[in-house]
Amino acid sequence: MSELTAAPAATAWDGWLRGRAAVRAKRDMQRADSARADLYDLASNDYLGLSAHPLVRTAAINALCTVGAGASASRVASGTWGIHRELETALCDYTGRAQALVFSSGYTANLGVLGALGGPGSLFLLDAHAHASLIDGAKLSGAAWHSFEHNNLAAAEALLRANRDAPAPKPRVVLVLESIYSVLGDAAPLERAAALCAQYGALLLVDEAHSLAAVTGGSAVRAAGLEQAGHVLATATLSKALGAQGGAVLLGGPQAQLWREHLLNTARTFIFDTALAPAAAAGARAALDLATAERISALAANTRLIRDTLAAHEQLAGRIDPAAGAVQSVRMRTPGQAGAAAALLRERGCAVNCFRPPSVPDGISRLRLTAHAHHHPDTLAAVLETVARTIKEVES
């Protein structure tokens, strides 16, 4: 064995790795990559059941056969294909926005837009429950940033006022929210937030990851009447309700084209990342035609069924977080019980998500159940009884 391939001597990294593993074990925080299996799906974000729809699959296959497995380059090099522009046009038609720019994922869309808005003259104000991609984007942007109490616009306004009245205020301010938050499933007050931003000359950035094609009207920004508000920017992922992959920034108002040009020229995750695979773009484009009001209504009905069925059990009453979107959460007493319930449900043929600290911003462990439009209500109700029974068994 050569010096280069010999087992290295113990280093500071060895102790650090073992120490981190011990902390995770002590706190019941150890994760694993969860393999897909033939289980009843209350875990995936395929809200409308479109990822396997024949028309979506066919569109993706046709693009794969026509273009190839990948885009082969960045969008600003030679990686923009016709399907990217078709998808951007369709996203505008669906959401009522004037311009769109498609990224390789929702995560890179958030990193890209915040990076393009950042710099030493910018200030970002983030809701405390903002997604990791928004937090990372703020940290990497070079802007000053603060978080405020979840869904507390009075706290956000205090920060806006403090900046305005500061001796050297930041001239560019962005309020960053999610339309529907992924942990509690509650909605942001978008109309009030947009009015607040207009009052202080700030931008409002709304992450529509959990509302695009999943709420009445197909978009929370549109439902709030803000689709043509020039000071409201939105991001979205194509990997949830549309069942594909990718992300987008959605822009409105008279300066929408100027905003798009700015992002195209300054968003590093757009400029330096290989473009979204054409097959995924084609799948998302086809899914937009299938994301109808009828499917969204069925999703809402199954969401209510999950909430009402579980809340009817005395042991779970008061532990269901009422949600504005498709995700319903059940608060668990301990991280260990949350993990045990998820594992036991998997053995019983049902996949649910388990959220434990530090993934949850309020430190409360939860089982997260995701509604799907294509689930038959009778079957779903029977599975929910298994969920309730399993939680009771684990907590006994």
Side-chain angles (χ1 to χ4, degrees), residues 46 49-57 243:
D46 188 16
L50 297 179
S51 66
H53 192 284
L55 293 179
V56 174
R57 284 181 168 181

Side-chain angles (χ1 to χ4, degrees), residues 201-224:
L203 291 177
L204 174 62
L205 176 61
V206 181
D207 184 344
E208 286 225 55
H210 293 275
S211 57
L212 179 66
V215 298
T216 301
S219 159
V221 169
R222 190 171 201 172

Side-chain angles (χ1 to χ4, degrees), residues 1-9:
M1 184 179 293
S2 70
E3 281 187 24
L4 293 177
T5 58

Side-chain angles (χ1 to χ4, degrees), residues 347-371:
E347 292 176 10
R348 292 172 175 174
C350 177
V352 301
N353 279 317
C354 173
F355 274 36
R356 295 174 289 180
S359 297
V360 283
D362 59 0
I364 298 174
S365 296
R366 289 174 172 81
L367 293 184
R368 196 174 80 159
L369 283 67
T370 304

Side-chain angles (χ1 to χ4, degrees), residues 265-329:
N265 283 278
T266 60
R268 292 173 66 84
T269 55
F270 184 86
I271 298 169
F272 298 108
D273 190 21
T274 297
L276 177 65
R285 170 65 189 90
L288 280 169
D289 289 337
L290 298 166
T292 60
E294 290 76 16
R295 279 193 168 89
I296 293 173
S297 178
L299 175 66
N302 280 345
T303 300
R304 291 191 295 272
L305 179 60
I306 292 174
R307 181 189 63 222
D308 295 345
T309 301
L310 294 180
H313 287 263
E314 182 178 355
Q315 185 176 1
L316 300 179
R319 293 165 57 185
I320 312 298
D321 296 316
V327 174
Q328 297 289 310
S329 293

Side-chain angles (χ1 to χ4, degrees), residues 69-130:
S72 303
S74 160
R75 289 283 304 272
V76 299
S78 60
T80 294
W81 296 82
I83 187 58
H84 293 119
R85 294 200 172 106
E86 289 176 30
L87 174 57
E88 288 167 349
T89 298
L91 283 166
C92 290
D93 291 341
Y94 190 82
T95 63
R97 308 237 73 188
Q99 294 288 335
L101 194 64
V102 166
F103 287 69
S104 61
S105 71
Y107 207 110
T108 57
N110 281 339
L111 291 182
V113 70
L114 286 170
L117 297 176
S122 297
L123 170 65
F124 296 154
L125 306 177
L126 277 69
D127 187 283
H129 286 195

Side-chain angles (χ1 to χ4, degrees), residues 29 174 249 285 330:
M29 290 164 43
V174 186
V249 179
R285 170 65 189 90
V330 181

